[in-house]
Amino acid sequence: ATLVVFSFIWPHLKLLLLQLFFYLPLRPAARRNGNYWLAVFGKWSFTDVLVMSALVGVFHLTLDTTASEVWDSAGPDLIETCGGTCGTFMHEKTHPFEGIGQ
């Protein structure tokens, strides 16, 4: 249950709170305190990576494959997906992030 909370719920909650602290009209002190606590507890969203690292170390888990084997199996799908996505933007003659931040 702890791993589910810190791996799946907390990262999304943290991003939601970060958005709220940014967009809501808060006093500077309240915004600063909220951002401080998000910074303190934000590091806990990395817990799942630490747990997996510990499991690999404790159980001596190994991965019997190479990067080239992974690319050989996943590469064609990735290239096709990227080509389709990039082709869509090329036909529209727009950039996917056009107008953001202006």
Side-chain angles (χ1 to χ4, degrees):
T2 304
L3 192 60
V4 170
V5 169
F6 286 117
S7 296
F8 299 107
I9 296 172
W10 173 242
H12 298 289
L13 181 63
K14 180 179 65 172
L15 290 173
L16 175 70
L17 290 172
L18 189 62
Q19 292 283 324
L20 290 175
F21 287 133
F22 185 79
Y23 288 112
L24 288 179
L26 299 173
R27 295 184 332 251
R31 187 181 317 266
R32 185 178 55 246
N33 288 339
N35 286 331
Y36 171 78
W37 288 110
L38 281 176
V40 168
F41 291 115
K43 294 164 185 62
W44 285 97
S45 62
F46 198 58
T47 303
D48 56 336
V49 175
L50 296 175
V51 169
M52 287 306 296
S53 299
L55 289 174
V56 167
V58 168
F59 294 113
H60 303 290
L61 301 176
T62 59
L63 184 61
D64 293 330
T65 189
T66 63
S68 62
E69 290 173 349
V70 172
W71 177 252
D72 290 341
S73 65
D77 294 333
L78 291 174
I79 291 171
E80 182 179 330
T81 302
C82 182
T85 304
C86 294
T88 301
F89 290 123
M90 294 303 286
H91 289 325
E92 294 175 2
K93 297 193 184 326
T94 61
H95 191 274
F97 302 111
E98 187 175 287
I100 295 176
Q102 295 178 354

